[in-house]
Amino acid sequence: MKALVENHTKGQAHCPICTHTVPADIEIKGKFPRVTPGQRCPRCRSSLDVAVVIQIPEAA
């Protein structure tokens, strides 16, 4: 059974190829934020499937 996406937002991810922080769509499943599958880095066009989520915007 596939888990339902609880939250979908924009955030920042670290591209493993060009080593820059780039904007990405983030899915939050439970406690773990992950980059939405199938995205590409806007700078180098590499896949962001294995990228590390750096920042998720939250209200204070």
Side-chain angles (χ1 to χ4, degrees):
M1 185 171 188
K2 197 170 190 179
L4 297 174
V5 176
E6 292 179 5
N7 196 358
H8 186 79
T9 185
K10 296 254 184 214
Q12 299 287 321
H14 178 75
C15 176
I17 303 300
C18 68
T19 67
H20 281 86
T21 303
V22 294
D25 292 332
I26 308 293
E27 290 179 352
I28 302 172
K29 297 179 183 177
K31 296 188 225 182
F32 303 107
R34 301 212 189 273
V35 177
T36 304
Q39 290 190 70
R40 296 214 170 260
C41 175
R43 293 180 53 90
C44 66
R45 305 303 297 163
S46 68
S47 175
L48 289 178
D49 288 346
V50 297
V52 177
V53 176
I54 301 292
Q55 180 182 22
I56 302 170
E58 293 181 7

